[in-house]
Amino acid sequence: MDVIDLNSVADIVFQLKWDSKHAAHNECYAARGVNLWRDWLPDTVRQSLIGKRPFEQAAVGFSPGELFGNDGGQLTIDRRQFSRDPKAGRFYPKGCLSDLPGVFPQNMQPFRCVGVNNGHMVVNIAHPLSDHPLSLSMTVGQVSAKESERGGSSVDWVGLLTEGPGMQARWQGKPTDFFSDMPFARRDEQPDNRFYGNPRLVHHLDETARYMVADLYKRFVKDGMKVLDLMSSWVSHLPEGVEPAGVSGLGMNRTELEQNPRLTDVHVHDLNVSPVLPYDNESFDIAICSVSVEYLTRPFEVFADVGRVLKPGGTFVVTFTNRWFPPKVVRIWEQIHEFERVGLVMEYFLKSGSFDNLGTYSMRGLPRPRKDKYAGDLALSDPVYAVWGTKTARRYQ
């Protein structure tokens, strides 16, 4: 079988696009074994897939509220009904609320604190994408006939796709309160050069995730460009087949940097001690930072200085996942949801004053490589998240 009908099981990559005030967003989820008859899909999505073949695409659009409904919205509650210290714009599990109908302590569905006023707080319990028009496209992979319908369960694939997206956007354009209560404190405050003194020649992403990062960078890195690999190590995650004019690696361990075959020059430099980069103004066409942004304790200064060393119109691309070294990760990173981390990095871009034309990307659901050492414990590849921005037109003196 190579044409989708109601008796089909298909692999489908869902791609959701939406816009917030400050960025364009692209969320991807790779769904394997979608059962057209049994699994939950909106009727418009199911009908758009019928008749499609492998490698063909289908697309549908949703107006604000159409996919998630208009139920819920804002509530004003007594702060004593909330078990934490609320921060405006942040998300928390509903189980932290008490004395609300239908809410129980095990409920992990997120709600947003949108205001704190004396003894009260205003919360929004609607889905964070409910106010946005959405564009959903589907790329069909392998198609096969379904087996017997005995047993099994129904999967809400659109629910999986939209679980988290929307949390990265500001509430009504107001900055999220990520930065009170010492957000950049760490468990280990010893000098970083001690922690990074010994080389770690290991991968921090599984093979599939590394490919997705390289594929993302391929959108931005072109032949002949001068590239800054910020917080680099022995791997740059740059795409094969692309030949930059030069790749400058800045990192914490010389051995790791010198093992990196893509680097044309290296600098050992601790950005948490000095956020000023050892490069001239407008030296680079593009800067990348791979799975390291969560260790920055002075991100606003670093992002501003990346803007200084980029040429006008240059791009800064930051990628990360849900894995890190616990002793050195900043406190706020551990406190928030994975998609709120996308919003946190967006705030770094916005507060630096150096970038516009922001974009974000997420990729989840891909199978973990069978040869990966965690394959027996984790079914899915590491999720990949990215935020990028273009250097603003203003020049640096």
Side-chain angles (χ1 to χ4, degrees):
M1 172 182 286
D2 61 356
V3 178
I4 293 181
D5 61 24
L6 288 178
N7 294 311
S8 297
V9 174
D11 294 341
I12 300 171
V13 175
F14 292 94
Q15 182 174 223
L16 182 73
K17 293 185 177 182
W18 59 285
D19 294 329
S20 63
K21 180 177 179 181
H22 297 99
H25 307 274
N26 187 354
E27 326 287 3
C28 300
Y29 196 96
R32 303 185 71 193
V34 178
N35 188 315
L36 270 290
W37 179 80
R38 187 175 64 194
D39 291 344
W40 188 89
L41 293 168
D43 288 339
T44 53
V45 172
R46 182 179 285 104
Q47 291 304 315
S48 71
L49 288 167
I50 298 298
K52 294 293 187 292
R53 298 176 181 272
F55 307 110
E56 291 186 340
Q57 291 188 327
V60 295
F62 297 96
S63 58
E66 182 180 357
L67 190 59
F68 305 105
N70 294 311
D71 294 335
Q74 291 189 194
L75 299 172
T76 299
I77 64 173
D78 192 309
R79 282 185 60 174
R80 290 173 293 183
Q81 293 177 255
F82 185 56
S83 62
R84 303 186 185 182
D85 181 18
K87 308 296 181 185
R90 295 263 294 274
F91 285 86
Y92 303 93
K94 285 184 179 178
C96 296
L97 298 172
S98 60
D99 299 324
L100 284 182
V103 174
F104 48 90
Q106 295 77 24
N107 191 334
M108 298 303 293
Q109 186 178 357
F111 74 92
R112 190 168 209 166
C113 171
V114 298
V116 180
N117 183 19
N118 296 325
H120 295 85
M121 60 183 291
V122 182
V123 302
N124 187 285
I125 60 175
H127 192 284
L129 288 176
S130 60
D131 292 335
H132 298 275
L134 308 172
S135 174
L136 178 63
S137 63
M138 291 76 66
T139 302
V140 178
Q142 180 177 318
V143 179
S144 60
K146 69 180 181 181
E147 298 178 358
S148 170
E149 288 296 344
R150 297 176 183 175
S153 58
S154 177
V155 180
D156 180 0
W157 294 107
V158 174
L160 288 174
L161 170 67
T162 57
E163 184 179 354
M167 297 174 74
Q168 64 264 56
R170 288 178 171 181
W171 170 256
Q172 296 182 346
K174 301 176 183 178
T176 302
D177 183 4
F178 290 126
F179 305 118
S180 57
D181 296 338
M182 301 178 65
F184 303 119
R186 300 170 298 174
R187 301 185 199 178
D188 180 1
E189 293 289 9
Q190 296 185 68
D192 289 347
N193 57 8
R194 297 183 186 178
F195 183 81
Y196 296 106
N198 294 321
R200 292 178 173 87
L201 303 178
V202 296
H203 290 294
H204 303 294
L205 294 168
D206 67 77
E207 185 177 22
T208 299
R210 296 197 301 272
Y211 174 82
M212 296 309 301
V213 170
D215 190 60
L216 176 71
Y217 287 156
K218 194 173 183 178
R219 302 183 194 180
F220 303 98
V221 182
K222 306 299 179 184
D223 291 348
M225 283 186 168
K226 293 193 65 177
V227 180
L228 170 60
D229 185 1
L230 196 68
M231 306 180 78
S232 183
S233 64
W234 69 293
V235 178
S236 286
H237 303 288
L238 290 171
E240 297 293 334
V242 177
E243 298 184 2
V247 182
S248 297
L250 182 147
M252 289 291 294
N253 187 282
R254 182 171 296 278
T255 300
E256 291 184 14
L257 295 172
E258 291 178 346
Q259 290 284 319
N260 189 329
R262 301 302 296 268
L263 301 182
T264 54
D265 62 90
V266 302
H267 285 274
V268 177
H269 185 91
D270 187 346
L271 292 171
N272 291 338
V273 172
S274 174
V276 178
L277 303 173
Y279 305 106
D280 293 335
N281 294 357
E282 301 181 0
S283 298
F284 299 98
D285 299 289
I286 186 168
I288 61 173
C289 180
S290 307
V291 291
S292 296
V293 69
E294 60 268 30
Y295 306 114
L296 286 175
T297 62
R298 302 168 71 177
F300 309 131
E301 296 166 89
V302 171
F303 275 56
D305 213 53
V306 171
R308 177 185 64 81
V309 303
L310 280 175
K311 297 176 183 178
T315 304
F316 183 24
V317 189
V318 178
T319 55
F320 50 95
T321 186
N322 59 0
R323 297 167 60 185
W324 58 80
F325 292 126
K328 287 298 184 180
V329 69
V330 296
R331 175 186 294 172
I332 185 63
W333 197 266
E334 295 188 286
Q335 292 178 339
I336 56 181
H337 188 278
E338 290 184 23
F339 275 88
E340 284 187 284
R341 294 174 193 144
V342 180
L344 176 67
V345 177
M346 284 178 58
E347 290 296 332
Y348 296 168
F349 276 96
L350 292 168
K351 288 181 178 294
S352 74
S354 300
F355 300 92
D356 53 21
N357 298 322
L358 300 190
T360 80
Y361 169 84
S362 65
M363 181 72 208
R364 297 170 294 151
L366 289 168
R368 199 168 197 88
R370 293 182 180 179
K371 63 182 180 181
D372 187 83
K373 65 178 181 179
Y374 299 112
D377 301 316
L378 301 171
L380 299 181
S381 171
D382 299 325
V384 172
Y385 303 99
V387 186
W388 58 84
T390 303
K391 178 180 174 177
T392 56
R394 70 185 179 90
R395 298 179 64 87
Y396 292 79
Q397 302 300 320

